[in-house]
Amino acid sequence: WLLRQGHRRIAFFNPVHAEETIRDPDVHFHVRDRFGGYEQVMHDAGLSPRLLCRPETMSEEASITAYPMDFLDGPDAPTAILCHSPAALNRLLMAVAAREALGRPAPRVMLFTHSADDRADVDLTKIVIPHREVGRLATEMLARRIAE
């Protein structure tokens, strides 16, 4: 969707994990899978993926409230950002709101979310994960596999 809207500088925002660890087996599968899907789509489109993650020297706890937002400035600033969690989203939206209050350009923000709660105060594209449907399909797939 973002590519069809003309975005080419699309970043994936995960302030909790360091770049060195986001692909580790110990990282929850939804983080690895979402980042992996983003990375694949970017490569397929001939674009470079850009992971915005916590510096290795910063603790996970500090990353949510003190994550540096300097990536929002400059000629390579992303025009769209995929956020993988509500905690990451809240930190990002604070920075985006501060930019907009100063009349500075802000990127399009997209959230992968677990709920359909609406945030009417924010220009936000949400991809709501249909957990019941995913569970139903997974159960059907498993039942078919067992039957084979």
Short mmCIF file of all heavy atoms in Angstrom, two decimals, residues 7-55:
data_model
loop_
_atom_site.label_atom_id
_atom_site.label_comp_id
_atom_site.label_asym_id
_atom_site.label_seq_id
_atom_site.Cartn_x
_atom_site.Cartn_y
_atom_site.Cartn_z
N HIS A 7 5.58 6.08 -1.73
CA HIS A 7 6.66 6.10 -0.73
C HIS A 7 7.81 5.22 -1.17
O HIS A 7 7.61 4.13 -1.69
CB HIS A 7 6.14 5.63 0.63
CG HIS A 7 5.16 6.57 1.24
ND1 HIS A 7 5.53 7.71 1.90
CD2 HIS A 7 3.79 6.54 1.28
CE1 HIS A 7 4.45 8.34 2.33
NE2 HIS A 7 3.39 7.65 1.95
N ARG A 8 9.04 5.71 -0.97
CA ARG A 8 10.23 4.94 -1.29
C ARG A 8 11.18 4.87 -0.10
O ARG A 8 12.01 3.98 -0.01
CB ARG A 8 10.96 5.53 -2.50
CG ARG A 8 10.15 5.44 -3.79
CD ARG A 8 9.93 3.98 -4.18
NE ARG A 8 9.07 3.80 -5.33
CZ ARG A 8 7.78 3.52 -5.27
NH1 ARG A 8 7.17 3.43 -4.12
NH2 ARG A 8 7.07 3.33 -6.36
N ARG A 9 11.08 5.82 0.80
CA ARG A 9 11.91 5.81 2.02
C ARG A 9 11.01 5.36 3.18
O ARG A 9 10.52 6.17 3.96
CB ARG A 9 12.52 7.18 2.26
CG ARG A 9 13.54 7.56 1.19
CD ARG A 9 14.33 8.82 1.51
NE ARG A 9 13.55 9.92 2.05
CZ ARG A 9 12.93 10.85 1.32
NH1 ARG A 9 12.98 10.80 0.00
NH2 ARG A 9 12.26 11.82 1.90
N ILE A 10 10.82 4.05 3.25
CA ILE A 10 9.94 3.45 4.26
C ILE A 10 10.81 2.77 5.30
O ILE A 10 11.67 1.95 4.97
CB ILE A 10 9.00 2.41 3.60
CG1 ILE A 10 8.21 3.06 2.47
CG2 ILE A 10 8.08 1.79 4.65
CD1 ILE A 10 7.47 2.06 1.59
N ALA A 11 10.61 3.13 6.55
CA ALA A 11 11.42 2.57 7.64
C ALA A 11 10.56 1.65 8.52
O ALA A 11 9.34 1.76 8.54
CB ALA A 11 12.01 3.69 8.48
N PHE A 12 11.22 0.76 9.23
CA PHE A 12 10.58 -0.13 10.20
C PHE A 12 11.08 0.28 11.57
O PHE A 12 12.28 0.23 11.85
CB PHE A 12 10.97 -1.59 9.90
CG PHE A 12 10.24 -2.59 10.73
CD1 PHE A 12 9.08 -3.17 10.25
CD2 PHE A 12 10.71 -2.98 11.97
CE1 PHE A 12 8.39 -4.12 11.00
CE2 PHE A 12 10.04 -3.92 12.73
CZ PHE A 12 8.88 -4.50 12.24
N PHE A 13 10.18 0.72 12.43
CA PHE A 13 10.55 1.28 13.74
C PHE A 13 10.33 0.24 14.84
O PHE A 13 9.22 -0.20 15.09
CB PHE A 13 9.70 2.52 14.01
CG PHE A 13 10.04 3.24 15.28
CD1 PHE A 13 11.30 3.78 15.47
CD2 PHE A 13 9.09 3.40 16.27
CE1 PHE A 13 11.62 4.46 16.64
CE2 PHE A 13 9.39 4.10 17.44
CZ PHE A 13 10.65 4.62 17.62
N ASN A 14 11.42 -0.15 15.48
CA ASN A 14 11.37 -1.06 16.62
C ASN A 14 12.42 -0.60 17.61
O ASN A 14 13.58 -1.02 17.54
CB ASN A 14 11.65 -2.50 16.17
CG ASN A 14 11.60 -3.47 17.32
OD1 ASN A 14 11.74 -3.10 18.47
ND2 ASN A 14 11.42 -4.73 17.00
N PRO A 15 12.05 0.28 18.55
CA PRO A 15 13.05 0.83 19.47
C PRO A 15 13.47 -0.13 20.57
O PRO A 15 14.36 0.18 21.35
CB PRO A 15 12.35 2.05 20.05
CG PRO A 15 10.91 1.68 20.02
CD PRO A 15 10.74 0.86 18.77
N VAL A 16 12.86 -1.30 20.65
CA VAL A 16 13.17 -2.23 21.73
C VAL A 16 14.38 -3.11 21.42
O VAL A 16 15.20 -3.37 22.27
CB VAL A 16 11.94 -3.11 22.06
CG1 VAL A 16 12.26 -4.14 23.12
CG2 VAL A 16 10.79 -2.22 22.51
N HIS A 17 14.49 -3.57 20.19
CA HIS A 17 15.56 -4.50 19.83
C HIS A 17 16.70 -3.78 19.12
O HIS A 17 16.47 -2.84 18.37
CB HIS A 17 15.02 -5.61 18.92
CG HIS A 17 13.97 -6.42 19.59
ND1 HIS A 17 12.63 -6.13 19.47
CD2 HIS A 17 14.05 -7.49 20.41
CE1 HIS A 17 11.94 -6.99 20.19
NE2 HIS A 17 12.77 -7.82 20.77
N ALA A 18 17.90 -4.26 19.34
CA ALA A 18 19.07 -3.75 18.62
C ALA A 18 19.14 -4.45 17.27
O ALA A 18 18.63 -5.56 17.10
CB ALA A 18 20.34 -4.01 19.43
N GLU A 19 19.77 -3.81 16.31
CA GLU A 19 19.87 -4.38 14.97
C GLU A 19 20.52 -5.77 14.99
O GLU A 19 20.14 -6.66 14.24
CB GLU A 19 20.65 -3.45 14.05
CG GLU A 19 20.66 -3.91 12.62
CD GLU A 19 21.17 -2.85 11.66
OE1 GLU A 19 21.59 -1.78 12.10
OE2 GLU A 19 21.14 -3.13 10.45
N GLU A 20 21.47 -5.95 15.88
CA GLU A 20 22.18 -7.22 15.96
C GLU A 20 21.30 -8.35 16.47
O GLU A 20 21.62 -9.52 16.29
CB GLU A 20 23.41 -7.09 16.88
CG GLU A 20 24.46 -6.13 16.35
CD GLU A 20 24.10 -4.66 16.55
OE1 GLU A 20 23.27 -4.33 17.42
OE2 GLU A 20 24.62 -3.82 15.80
N THR A 21 20.18 -8.04 17.12
CA THR A 21 19.37 -9.09 17.75
C THR A 21 17.99 -9.30 17.13
O THR A 21 17.33 -10.27 17.47
CB THR A 21 19.17 -8.79 19.25
OG1 THR A 21 18.44 -7.56 19.39
CG2 THR A 21 20.49 -8.70 19.98
N ILE A 22 17.55 -8.46 16.23
CA ILE A 22 16.17 -8.54 15.75
C ILE A 22 15.88 -9.84 15.00
O ILE A 22 14.76 -10.29 14.95
CB ILE A 22 15.78 -7.31 14.90
CG1 ILE A 22 14.26 -7.23 14.80
CG2 ILE A 22 16.45 -7.36 13.53
CD1 ILE A 22 13.73 -5.92 14.32
N ARG A 23 16.90 -10.48 14.48
CA ARG A 23 16.71 -11.75 13.75
C ARG A 23 17.00 -12.98 14.62
O ARG A 23 16.90 -14.10 14.15
CB ARG A 23 17.59 -11.78 12.51
CG ARG A 23 17.18 -10.76 11.47
CD ARG A 23 18.15 -10.77 10.30
NE ARG A 23 17.88 -9.68 9.40
CZ ARG A 23 18.37 -8.46 9.51
NH1 ARG A 23 19.16 -8.14 10.50
NH2 ARG A 23 18.08 -7.53 8.63
N ASP A 24 17.40 -12.77 15.87
CA ASP A 24 17.73 -13.88 16.76
C ASP A 24 16.52 -14.76 17.03
O ASP A 24 15.40 -14.26 17.16
CB ASP A 24 18.26 -13.38 18.10
CG ASP A 24 19.68 -12.84 18.02
OD1 ASP A 24 20.29 -12.95 16.94
OD2 ASP A 24 20.15 -12.29 19.03
N PRO A 25 16.74 -16.07 17.17
CA PRO A 25 15.64 -16.98 17.50
C PRO A 25 14.96 -16.65 18.83
O PRO A 25 13.80 -16.99 19.03
CB PRO A 25 16.31 -18.35 17.57
CG PRO A 25 17.60 -18.22 16.85
CD PRO A 25 18.00 -16.77 16.95
N ASP A 26 15.68 -15.97 19.74
CA ASP A 26 15.09 -15.63 21.04
C ASP A 26 14.11 -14.46 20.96
O ASP A 26 13.32 -14.26 21.87
CB ASP A 26 16.20 -15.27 22.05
CG ASP A 26 17.06 -16.47 22.37
OD1 ASP A 26 16.61 -17.62 22.17
OD2 ASP A 26 18.20 -16.26 22.84
N VAL A 27 14.16 -13.70 19.87
CA VAL A 27 13.23 -12.58 19.69
C VAL A 27 11.89 -13.16 19.27
O VAL A 27 11.82 -14.07 18.45
CB VAL A 27 13.77 -11.59 18.63
CG1 VAL A 27 12.73 -10.55 18.27
CG2 VAL A 27 15.04 -10.94 19.13
N HIS A 28 10.81 -12.63 19.84
CA HIS A 28 9.47 -13.17 19.55
C HIS A 28 9.24 -13.23 18.04
O HIS A 28 9.60 -12.32 17.30
CB HIS A 28 8.40 -12.31 20.21
CG HIS A 28 7.08 -12.98 20.31
ND1 HIS A 28 6.21 -13.03 19.25
CD2 HIS A 28 6.50 -13.67 21.32
CE1 HIS A 28 5.13 -13.71 19.61
NE2 HIS A 28 5.28 -14.10 20.86
N PHE A 29 8.61 -14.32 17.62
CA PHE A 29 8.43 -14.56 16.18
C PHE A 29 7.69 -13.42 15.48
O PHE A 29 7.97 -13.13 14.33
CB PHE A 29 7.72 -15.89 15.93
CG PHE A 29 6.27 -15.89 16.32
CD1 PHE A 29 5.29 -15.52 15.41
CD2 PHE A 29 5.89 -16.28 17.60
CE1 PHE A 29 3.95 -15.51 15.77
CE2 PHE A 29 4.56 -16.28 17.96
CZ PHE A 29 3.59 -15.89 17.05
N HIS A 30 6.75 -12.76 16.16
CA HIS A 30 6.02 -11.71 15.45
C HIS A 30 6.92 -10.54 15.09
O HIS A 30 6.72 -9.89 14.07
CB HIS A 30 4.76 -11.27 16.20
CG HIS A 30 5.00 -10.31 17.32
ND1 HIS A 30 5.23 -10.72 18.61
CD2 HIS A 30 5.04 -8.96 17.34
CE1 HIS A 30 5.41 -9.66 19.39
NE2 HIS A 30 5.29 -8.58 18.64
N VAL A 31 7.92 -10.27 15.89
CA VAL A 31 8.87 -9.19 15.57
C VAL A 31 9.73 -9.62 14.38
O VAL A 31 9.85 -8.89 13.40
CB VAL A 31 9.77 -8.87 16.79
CG1 VAL A 31 10.84 -7.85 16.41
CG2 VAL A 31 8.93 -8.36 17.95
N ARG A 32 10.30 -10.83 14.46
CA ARG A 32 11.14 -11.32 13.36
C ARG A 32 10.35 -11.42 12.06
O ARG A 32 10.82 -11.03 11.00
CB ARG A 32 11.71 -12.70 13.71
CG ARG A 32 12.82 -12.70 14.71
CD ARG A 32 13.51 -14.06 14.78
NE ARG A 32 12.64 -15.20 14.55
CZ ARG A 32 12.00 -15.88 15.51
NH1 ARG A 32 12.13 -15.51 16.76
NH2 ARG A 32 11.26 -16.92 15.20
N ASP A 33 9.13 -11.98 12.15
CA ASP A 33 8.33 -12.18 10.93
C ASP A 33 7.90 -10.87 10.30
O ASP A 33 7.93 -10.71 9.09
CB ASP A 33 7.11 -13.05 11.22
CG ASP A 33 7.48 -14.49 11.52
OD1 ASP A 33 8.65 -14.87 11.35
OD2 ASP A 33 6.58 -15.25 11.93
N ARG A 34 7.48 -9.92 11.12
CA ARG A 34 7.06 -8.62 10.56
C ARG A 34 8.24 -7.90 9.93
O ARG A 34 8.12 -7.35 8.84
CB ARG A 34 6.42 -7.75 11.64
CG ARG A 34 5.06 -8.28 12.03
CD ARG A 34 4.45 -7.46 13.11
NE ARG A 34 3.26 -8.17 13.59
CZ ARG A 34 2.65 -7.88 14.70
NH1 ARG A 34 3.07 -6.89 15.46
NH2 ARG A 34 1.59 -8.56 15.07
N PHE A 35 9.37 -7.91 10.62
CA PHE A 35 10.53 -7.27 10.03
C PHE A 35 10.97 -8.02 8.78
O PHE A 35 11.30 -7.41 7.77
CB PHE A 35 11.70 -7.17 11.02
CG PHE A 35 12.91 -6.55 10.40
CD1 PHE A 35 12.91 -5.21 10.06
CD2 PHE A 35 14.02 -7.31 10.11
CE1 PHE A 35 14.00 -4.62 9.44
CE2 PHE A 35 15.13 -6.74 9.50
CZ PHE A 35 15.12 -5.40 9.18
N GLY A 36 10.96 -9.34 8.83
CA GLY A 36 11.34 -10.14 7.66
C GLY A 36 10.45 -9.87 6.46
O GLY A 36 10.91 -9.76 5.32
N GLY A 37 9.13 -9.76 6.69
CA GLY A 37 8.20 -9.44 5.61
C GLY A 37 8.46 -8.06 5.03
O GLY A 37 8.47 -7.87 3.81
N TYR A 38 8.68 -7.10 5.91
CA TYR A 38 9.00 -5.74 5.47
C TYR A 38 10.28 -5.75 4.63
O TYR A 38 10.34 -5.17 3.53
CB TYR A 38 9.17 -4.83 6.69
CG TYR A 38 10.05 -3.63 6.45
CD1 TYR A 38 9.55 -2.51 5.80
CD2 TYR A 38 11.38 -3.61 6.87
CE1 TYR A 38 10.36 -1.41 5.56
CE2 TYR A 38 12.19 -2.52 6.64
CZ TYR A 38 11.68 -1.42 5.99
OH TYR A 38 12.48 -0.34 5.75
N GLU A 39 11.30 -6.42 5.14
CA GLU A 39 12.58 -6.48 4.45
C GLU A 39 12.44 -7.11 3.06
O GLU A 39 12.99 -6.59 2.08
CB GLU A 39 13.55 -7.30 5.32
CG GLU A 39 14.98 -7.12 5.03
CD GLU A 39 15.85 -7.81 6.06
OE1 GLU A 39 15.50 -8.90 6.57
OE2 GLU A 39 16.91 -7.26 6.35
N GLN A 40 11.65 -8.18 2.96
CA GLN A 40 11.45 -8.86 1.68
C GLN A 40 10.73 -7.95 0.68
O GLN A 40 11.12 -7.86 -0.48
CB GLN A 40 10.66 -10.15 1.87
CG GLN A 40 10.52 -10.96 0.60
CD GLN A 40 11.85 -11.44 0.07
OE1 GLN A 40 12.63 -12.03 0.80
NE2 GLN A 40 12.13 -11.16 -1.20
N VAL A 41 9.69 -7.26 1.13
CA VAL A 41 8.94 -6.36 0.25
C VAL A 41 9.85 -5.23 -0.25
O VAL A 41 9.82 -4.88 -1.43
CB VAL A 41 7.69 -5.80 0.96
CG1 VAL A 41 7.09 -4.63 0.19
CG2 VAL A 41 6.66 -6.90 1.16
N MET A 42 10.66 -4.69 0.63
CA MET A 42 11.57 -3.62 0.23
C MET A 42 12.57 -4.12 -0.82
O MET A 42 12.79 -3.46 -1.84
CB MET A 42 12.29 -3.04 1.44
CG MET A 42 11.38 -2.30 2.41
SD MET A 42 10.63 -0.82 1.70
CE MET A 42 12.01 0.31 1.74
N HIS A 43 13.15 -5.30 -0.58
CA HIS A 43 14.09 -5.87 -1.55
C HIS A 43 13.39 -6.14 -2.89
O HIS A 43 13.93 -5.85 -3.95
CB HIS A 43 14.73 -7.15 -1.02
CG HIS A 43 15.77 -6.91 0.03
ND1 HIS A 43 16.89 -6.12 -0.17
CD2 HIS A 43 15.87 -7.36 1.30
CE1 HIS A 43 17.62 -6.10 0.92
NE2 HIS A 43 17.02 -6.85 1.83
N ASP A 44 12.18 -6.72 -2.83
CA ASP A 44 11.43 -7.01 -4.06
C ASP A 44 11.14 -5.75 -4.86
O ASP A 44 11.05 -5.80 -6.09
CB ASP A 44 10.11 -7.73 -3.73
CG ASP A 44 10.32 -9.15 -3.23
OD1 ASP A 44 11.46 -9.66 -3.28
OD2 ASP A 44 9.32 -9.74 -2.75
N ALA A 45 10.98 -4.62 -4.16
CA ALA A 45 10.70 -3.34 -4.83
C ALA A 45 11.99 -2.63 -5.27
O ALA A 45 11.94 -1.53 -5.80
CB ALA A 45 9.89 -2.43 -3.90
N GLY A 46 13.15 -3.27 -5.01
CA GLY A 46 14.42 -2.66 -5.38
C GLY A 46 14.84 -1.55 -4.43
O GLY A 46 15.63 -0.68 -4.80
N LEU A 47 14.31 -1.56 -3.22
CA LEU A 47 14.60 -0.52 -2.23
C LEU A 47 15.40 -1.09 -1.08
O LEU A 47 15.36 -2.30 -0.81
CB LEU A 47 13.30 0.09 -1.72
CG LEU A 47 12.41 0.72 -2.78
CD1 LEU A 47 11.05 1.08 -2.20
CD2 LEU A 47 13.09 1.94 -3.37
N SER A 48 16.09 -0.23 -0.37
CA SER A 48 16.86 -0.65 0.79
C SER A 48 16.00 -0.57 2.04
O SER A 48 15.44 0.49 2.34
CB SER A 48 18.08 0.25 0.98
OG SER A 48 18.93 0.13 -0.13
N PRO A 49 15.90 -1.68 2.78
CA PRO A 49 15.17 -1.62 4.05
C PRO A 49 15.93 -0.75 5.05
O PRO A 49 17.16 -0.64 4.98
CB PRO A 49 15.12 -3.07 4.53
CG PRO A 49 15.93 -3.87 3.61
CD PRO A 49 16.41 -3.00 2.49
N ARG A 50 15.18 -0.13 5.93
CA ARG A 50 15.82 0.71 6.94
C ARG A 50 15.19 0.39 8.29
O ARG A 50 14.03 0.69 8.54
CB ARG A 50 15.60 2.18 6.60
CG ARG A 50 16.29 3.10 7.57
CD ARG A 50 16.23 4.51 7.07
NE ARG A 50 16.82 5.42 8.02
CZ ARG A 50 16.68 6.73 7.96
NH1 ARG A 50 15.99 7.27 6.98
NH2 ARG A 50 17.22 7.49 8.87
N LEU A 51 15.98 -0.23 9.13
CA LEU A 51 15.53 -0.58 10.48
C LEU A 51 15.91 0.53 11.44
O LEU A 51 17.09 0.87 11.56
CB LEU A 51 16.16 -1.90 10.91
CG LEU A 51 15.92 -2.33 12.35
CD1 LEU A 51 14.43 -2.54 12.61
CD2 LEU A 51 16.71 -3.59 12.67
N LEU A 52 14.92 1.09 12.09
CA LEU A 52 15.16 2.08 13.13
C LEU A 52 15.01 1.33 14.45
O LEU A 52 13.92 0.99 14.87
CB LEU A 52 14.14 3.21 13.03
CG LEU A 52 14.07 3.91 11.68
CD1 LEU A 52 12.91 4.89 11.65
CD2 LEU A 52 15.38 4.61 11.38
N CYS A 53 16.14 1.03 15.07
CA CYS A 53 16.11 0.24 16.29
C CYS A 53 16.97 0.91 17.35
O CYS A 53 17.67 1.89 17.08
CB CYS A 53 16.61 -1.17 16.01
SG CYS A 53 18.25 -1.22 15.30
N ARG A 54 16.93 0.36 18.54
CA ARG A 54 17.68 0.99 19.63
C ARG A 54 19.17 0.78 19.43
O ARG A 54 19.61 -0.25 18.94
CB ARG A 54 17.23 0.44 20.98
CG ARG A 54 17.71 -0.95 21.29
CD ARG A 54 17.34 -1.35 22.71
NE ARG A 54 17.53 -2.75 22.92
CZ ARG A 54 18.69 -3.30 23.27
NH1 ARG A 54 19.75 -2.56 23.45
NH2 ARG A 54 18.78 -4.61 23.43
N PRO A 55 19.96 1.79 19.80
CA PRO A 55 21.41 1.61 19.76
C PRO A 55 21.81 0.48 20.71
O PRO A 55 21.20 0.30 21.77
CB PRO A 55 21.95 2.96 20.26
CG PRO A 55 20.83 3.92 20.06
CD PRO A 55 19.57 3.12 20.21
#
